[in-house]
Amino acid sequence: MMGMGSCSIVAFVSGKGGVGKTLLSVNLARFLASLRIKTVLIDLDMLNRGATALLQPSVGDNEKTFSRLALSNSQPEELELRQVGEFYFLPSTSTGEIVDWKKLPLDYQQWRKLLLNTLEKIIQKYQPQVIIIDSEVGPHALSIGIAGVADSTIIVSEADPVTWDGTLNYRSYLVEAYGDKKQFFFLLNKVPEKFNFEKLNQYYGEQVSRLLRNLKIISFIPFEYDVSENFGEYKFIVDNLPESVFSSKIKLLAYDLLKERLPEYPRSQLERDRAAIMKRIRPKASRFNRQVQIMGWLLTALGVGAILLSTSYRMLIENPTMTVGLVYGIGGTILIAYGYFRKK
Ligand SMILES: Nc1ncnc2c1ncn2[C@@H]1O[C@H](COP(=O)(O)OP(=O)(O)O)[C@@H](O)[C@H]1O
Ligand SMILES: [Mg+2]
């Protein structure tokens, strides 16, 4: 843990886009601010500018943005953050700005220096307790630099082989830059309903510990239709969908990462959050499914037994075609049922 005096720096990074870094950053900032934690959110994604687009519909050309700092048009001393509700915010670019990538540093060490300098100035001027960084997608040098300056770097991934490849690649760059001594966190977001969380935990537990000695699973968050549906419309899921698993997970994440900084959150509330999550990720439907499945098997067994009894061996002699049809039909049904109910 490097730390910057009394400020904790949390960064969300990833090897693939669209995994939820922006949504996580913005909502974590909002939740911390709601607990009266002095929080700064900085958008370091100069391409997608997700947090900026979400929080600040218009940012003028002359306003303070991260891109201006990065392109050396201004000094960190001149930094001025905007206020978004209860927290401070640094936009990544102005509205419509196309950043000239050829003018940006190509080396992560250079970025690291610029970032440290910037963070130091922000801490001096605003004295935040927590700084949250919404990163661009890796492995551009900037995102490697970000992973190096944060106390808690959270690698966000999704539960599919495509995203996993990106995560693997990104992690290789991190190891190259920082060795595997530095601690990183792993967060699996947008987990599809078809997955069983315990199996997922086992699977990723093994994969992740093989990947990086110091990569710790910190959270699994299910895909939620309401969350996805309202992106861009709702600024803050924690306010607009307080009953969502996503909101509860944000709170638990805050406590896992920053417990010593946070005021006592009612234990009963944390437990209610946990219980709500368990109910949601193991929906009643799954128990219902199992009952339906058992009923199905019972009925099938009874039906098959009855058919076999009633047709008896005479049918085999009188109507061999129908017998073959029955055998194929039943065999096929069993295969379909097996394929359908097999859990990933
Ligand atoms: N847990 C979730 N359930 C459903 N949709 C999600 C979840 N997390 C993120 N999303 C959606 O995924 C999309 C990409 O999210 P975003 O935060 O922009 O990712 P990134 O910043 O990594 O590119 C958005 O439409 C967002 O609403
Ligand atoms: Mg984003």
Side-chain angles (χ1 to χ4, degrees):
M1 283 259 209
M2 190 198 66
M4 284 220 154
S6 60
C7 180
S8 297
I9 298 160
V10 178
F12 291 93
V13 300
S14 72
K16 179 183 169 291
V19 296
K21 297 179 295 298
T22 295
L23 206 64
L24 290 161
S25 314
V26 164
N27 281 282
L28 182 61
R30 176 69 167 190
F31 175 63
L32 292 174
S34 78
L35 295 178
R36 303 259 166 273
I37 301 294
K38 286 165 97 182
T39 306
V40 165
L41 170 65
I42 51 185
D43 185 359
L44 298 191
D45 184 345
M46 292 182 283
L47 181 66
N48 293 293
R49 63 193 304 277
T52 304
L54 195 64
L55 300 177
Q56 302 276 285
S58 78
V59 180
D61 287 343
N62 299 318
E63 298 186 53
K64 313 283 187 211
T65 57
F66 180 70
S67 67
R68 293 193 73 203
L69 275 181
L71 296 163
S72 309
N73 294 332
S74 71
Q75 294 300 311
E77 283 75 6
E78 302 166 20
L79 255 176
E80 240 171 72
L81 303 182
R82 298 156 157 250
Q83 211 158 348
V84 177
E86 308 288 315
F87 63 84
Y88 285 100
F89 178 58
L90 178 66
S92 60
T93 69
S94 55
T95 307
E97 178 180 348
I98 310 290
V99 172
D100 186 351
W101 291 94
K102 291 185 283 307
K103 291 189 183 143
L104 295 175
L106 281 173
D107 176 69
Y108 80 89
Q109 304 274 25
Q110 253 170 292
W111 277 116
R112 218 170 146 261
K113 242 178 266 162
L114 180 86
L115 289 170
L116 285 175
N117 197 5
T118 307
L119 293 170
E120 206 177 294
K121 294 296 172 327
I122 289 177
I123 291 167
Q124 267 171 22
K125 191 161 174 184
Y126 294 89
Q127 301 183 332
Q129 294 164 283
V130 180
I131 297 179
I132 296 169
I133 300 176
D134 181 12
S135 168
E136 58 161 20
V137 67
H140 182 267
L142 170 55
S143 86
I144 304 290
I146 291 170
V149 299
D151 303 302
S152 306
T153 300
I154 302 168
I155 304 172
V156 186
S157 189
E158 283 178 48
D160 59 67
V162 179
T163 314
W164 187 239
D165 262 6
T167 305
L168 286 181
N169 284 335
Y170 180 63
R171 157 262 172 201
S172 312
Y173 292 97
L174 291 185
V175 173
E176 198 185 306
Y178 304 112
D180 64 358
K181 293 239 166 60
K182 190 176 158 71
Q183 157 120 63
F184 292 103
F185 294 103
F186 179 77
L187 186 153
L188 203 60
N189 188 25
K190 298 167 84 168
V191 176
E193 218 176 293
K194 66 181 174 184
F195 286 116
N196 172 317
F197 269 63
E198 273 139 37
K199 287 188 183 165
L200 215 55
N201 193 28
Q202 253 173 28
Y203 177 78
Y204 278 96
E206 278 167 27
Q207 298 300 315
V208 153
S209 60
R210 230 186 301 155
L211 269 181
L212 263 184
R213 236 179 300 144
N214 278 317
L215 186 59
K216 183 172 174 276
I217 295 181
I218 190 145
S219 189
F220 285 166
I221 306 179
F223 180 90
E224 286 177 292
Y225 180 77
D226 285 352
V227 169
S228 152
E229 186 77 351
N230 294 297
F231 190 56
E233 222 160 303
Y234 290 166
K235 279 196 172 93
F236 304 113
I237 300 298
V238 283
D239 295 344
N240 293 303
L241 297 170
E243 301 296 315
S244 60
V245 177
F246 187 89
S247 297
S248 293
K249 287 282 185 173
I250 288 287
K251 296 173 196 169
L252 294 174
L253 183 67
Y255 274 86
D256 282 344
L257 289 173
L258 303 159
K259 193 167 195 248
E260 67 283 3
R261 292 194 176 277
L262 303 192
E264 193 79 44
Y265 188 62
R267 184 167 268 284
S268 59
Q269 183 59 48
L270 271 180
E271 244 119 63
R272 239 180 296 151
D273 283 330
R274 288 216 163 84
I277 289 168
M278 290 320 285
K279 214 166 87 192
R280 226 59 84 79
I281 62 182
R282 253 184 291 183
K284 280 190 222 87
S286 72
R287 207 181 304 148
F288 180 71
N289 270 356
R290 232 175 295 132
Q291 282 166 359
V292 168
Q293 195 186 347
I294 290 166
M295 287 285 287
W297 281 112
L298 272 174
L299 282 176
T300 308
L302 281 173
V304 169
I307 290 168
L308 286 179
L309 268 179
S310 71
T311 50
S312 73
Y313 72 94
R314 265 183 58 202
M315 198 188 92
L316 186 64
I317 295 152
E318 286 173 10
N319 198 343
T321 319
M322 178 154 168
T323 311
V324 170
L326 264 178
V327 169
Y328 275 88
I330 292 166
T333 309
I334 291 172
L335 282 182
I336 291 166
Y338 174 75
Y340 185 75
F341 287 111
R342 212 185 70 171
K343 273 255 150 65
K344 284 241 176 190

